[in-house]
Amino acid sequence: EAGVTQFPSHSVIEKGQTVTLRCDPISGHDNLYWYRRVMGKEIKFLLHFVKESKQDESGMPNNRFLAERTGGTYSTLKVQPAELEDSGVYFCASNGAGFTDTQYFGPGTRLTVL
Amino acid sequence: AQSVTQLGSHVSVSEGALVLLRCNYSSSVPPYLFWYVQYPNQGLQLLLKYTSAATLVKGINGFEAEFKKSETSFHLTKPSAHMSDAAEYFCAVSEGFGNEKLTFGTGTRLTIIP
């Protein structure tokens, strides 16, 4: 069974540009989460999808970030326009039904904004 | 609100020595607690989790952790360190159903001395 995959693995963009990150969860997982780790700091929650609906988006930093999960399968996270402080590693995780179910993480996308 | 404190951003132990990584949590409800490990160039992998069953939790690769409510702690231990244990370790807490997001500590990088 394939794990959580993320694309791209690295992205280097200039301030003001747009970047779209993609996450493919484990097949059949209804829950999808986005997290971010800024250099040297803790991994922080961004948002949680249940199927195609946003269950919790309390961690989204501002309206430059837009997450979608059309059809309840893969998800995209768009940053527009990117700022220097958006640099970091963006992780995606998924799990099935049940709050004690393990969240399985992808390898992350390292975003560098110059 | 929930939070996690990991004491020691870097820990070094000799091969064969005891590994002890400290984690203290704060939660307004009975918590669910997790330890994740990140090996170089990989995603986060679950080591073990506490979900209100046995307070001593055994995980993969010989690791275990004990939930101590009175001390609000969930320290990770391994009796004998291997070179392959070198990685970054993250403690996380979740409030469970309805609030499944993980709140992470800042991570502890474990170095094994030959």
Side-chain angles (χ1 to χ4, degrees), chain A residues 76-93:
Chain A
T76 58
L77 181 64
K78 180 189 287 188
V79 185
Q80 178 182 31
E83 298 289 344
L84 300 179
E85 63 266 25
D86 301 332
S87 295
V89 180
Y90 291 76
F91 292 102
C92 176

Side-chain angles (χ1 to χ4, degrees), chain B residues 4-7 21-25 35 72-75 91-92:
Chain B
V4 173
T5 301
Q6 289 184 243
L7 294 176
L21 304 183
R22 299 179 185 275
C23 172
N24 288 87
Y25 70 90
W35 275 100
T72 61
S73 68
F74 191 57
H75 302 330
C91 182

Side-chain angles (χ1 to χ4, degrees), chain A:
Chain A
E1 179 181 286
V4 177
T5 58
Q6 294 186 244
F7 182 82
S9 57
H10 293 82
S11 180
V12 181
I13 61 172
E14 294 191 352
K15 176 182 173 181
Q17 290 186 320
T18 297
V19 64
T20 299
L21 313 181
R22 173 171 170 145
C23 169
D24 286 78
I26 292 172
S27 178
H29 280 186
D30 287 340
N31 295 286
L32 187 150
Y33 308 80
W34 283 99
Y35 295 86
R36 176 175 74 171
R37 189 184 194 195
V38 173
M39 181 71 74
K41 298 197 173 181
E42 69 271 31
I43 300 168
K44 283 194 170 181
F45 168 81
L46 296 178
L47 88 159
H48 170 202
F49 282 101
V50 178
K51 297 184 180 179
E52 66 275 10
S53 298
K54 293 176 184 175
Q55 174 80 4
D56 180 355
E57 51 184 330
S58 61
M60 293 289 265
N62 51 60
N63 59 11
R64 295 185 294 103
F65 288 75
L66 175 64
E68 294 180 325
R69 193 182 181 196
T70 306
T73 55
Y74 71 90
S75 174
T76 58
L77 181 64
K78 180 189 287 188
V79 185
Q80 178 182 31
E83 298 289 344
L84 300 179
E85 63 266 25
D86 301 332
S87 295
V89 180
Y90 291 76
F91 292 102
C92 176
S94 72
N95 66 3
F99 58 89
T100 60
D101 196 23
T102 299
Q103 290 187 26
Y104 294 90
F105 280 75
T109 293
R110 181 174 296 278
L111 174 64
T112 302
V113 183
L114 302 176

